[in-house]
Amino acid sequence: MKFKLIIASVADDITDTVVEAARTEGATGCTVITSARGEGLRKAKTFLGLDLTGARDIVLIIVEQHLARRILETIGRAGSFDAHPGAGVAIVVDVEDAIGLGSQMHTIQTEIEDEI
């Protein structure tokens, strides 16, 4: 079985929306890294040296390769990534190898049975 890693940088107020959207499309779990900092096209404004931008979260989701594109598109729509500048960005990368997914393998195999 081959896996992909979806990495999404999202505004912290939409993290739960993005995670729930991924779950509806077959993701069996995720890891959220909170309080990340990012910089987009325009440099963030500051007030007396304090950053005025909202906190960002990094969402890491390992999924079976056949589900990756659908989940990516779904979280993009759920988080309005293309509609609102700064809402988020997500990428997919190949996973060479993974361990620790044993408890999720039955669910993953059941979910992708129709896909392959």
Side-chain angles (χ1 to χ4, degrees):
M1 190 171 297
K2 296 192 183 261
F3 295 98
K4 302 279 187 176
L5 173 63
I6 299 173
I7 305 169
S9 171
V10 301
D12 68 341
D13 59 335
I14 64 169
T15 301
D16 291 337
T17 301
V18 167
V19 169
E20 189 56 39
R23 282 192 175 278
T24 63
E25 292 298 328
T28 56
C30 71
T31 298
V32 177
I33 302 170
T34 59
S35 301
R37 194 179 73 158
E39 189 170 308
L41 182 60
R42 294 179 185 83
K43 191 167 174 80
K45 296 179 181 178
T46 62
F47 177 74
L48 300 175
L50 299 173
D51 191 359
L52 295 179
T53 59
R56 306 201 59 77
D57 291 339
I58 304 298
V59 181
L60 306 172
I61 310 166
I62 296 177
V63 299
E64 204 283 330
Q65 68 178 352
H66 293 92
L67 302 176
R69 183 66 194 183
R70 188 172 71 210
I71 292 172
L72 180 72
E73 291 174 359
T74 299
I75 65 175
R77 282 190 304 275
S80 301
F81 289 3
D82 288 328
H84 299 96
V89 63
I91 62 171
V92 177
V93 296
D94 289 329
V95 173
E96 180 71 26
D97 205 356
I99 59 172
L101 298 173
S103 63
Q104 299 178 19
M105 289 306 287
H106 177 72
T107 303
I108 292 169
Q109 288 172 335
T110 303
E111 292 285 329
I112 65 156
E113 217 166 56
D114 296 330
E115 299 287 328
I116 53 175

